[in-house]
Amino acid sequence: MNSYLFRVICILHSVIALTSGTLMIFYTEKASIFGHGSDIANKLKGSTPHDEILIQISQSFSGLLLFAIGLVLFMVSFVKDSEFHSFFAGGSVILYVLMALWRVVFEWKIEDLAFECPKQALGDIALAVSWVFFLVYTWREKYD
């Protein structure tokens, strides 16, 4: 049962990363508008054509990284070692909590992103909680 639950959570996170990454690569402007709203997306676009190209390339590379993370999550979902499952889930919890902390500490200071910061941090925490539920379920089965 643990292997099945691990696979479901990994594939769910993989679909989220693959979809977000694909949108960021191919529909950079629309993804920015969807994520931040049209007013903030226009402010974050850049003031000169050179800035706009650099920001678009940066966002596309971020999307490529997300896509690669989604592929890795998909591949990891087929690992059957239960000790690796616990290790990976614990690492994922730490990663998502650090992402939420980074958003609160650094993005909060950017005036245009401050409004979006709590929603995105809650999203990171929600993804971390899914791994925490997996760890609790695994530990409950292990120690009962």
Side-chain angles (χ1 to χ4, degrees), residues 45-100:
K45 194 167 34 172
S47 58
T48 66
H50 185 260
D51 290 345
E52 289 180 16
I53 290 172
L54 285 175
I55 291 169
Q56 187 174 13
I57 290 171
S58 172
Q59 288 178 345
S60 293
F61 277 129
S62 297
L64 185 62
L65 178 64
L66 261 176
F67 189 84
I69 289 169
L71 288 177
V72 168
L73 278 167
F74 182 75
M75 290 187 288
V76 164
S77 71
F78 294 101
V79 173
K80 298 203 185 297
D81 184 17
S82 62
E83 287 184 31
F84 176 76
H85 293 174
S86 296
F87 173 75
F88 188 81
S92 297
V93 169
I94 291 170
L95 180 68
Y96 283 123
V97 168
L98 287 175
M99 284 172 44

Side-chain angles (χ1 to χ4, degrees), residues 24-44:
M24 286 177 71
I25 293 170
F26 296 111
Y27 302 104
T28 304
E29 187 175 333
K30 290 184 182 4
S32 183
I33 290 171
F34 178 74
H36 301 292
S38 60
D39 293 337
I40 295 174
N42 284 334
K43 289 179 184 178
L44 295 176

Side-chain angles (χ1 to χ4, degrees), residues 114-127:
F115 179 70
E116 300 293 323
C117 179
K119 290 190 282 188
Q120 292 177 346
L122 282 174
D124 293 334
I125 296 297
L127 290 171

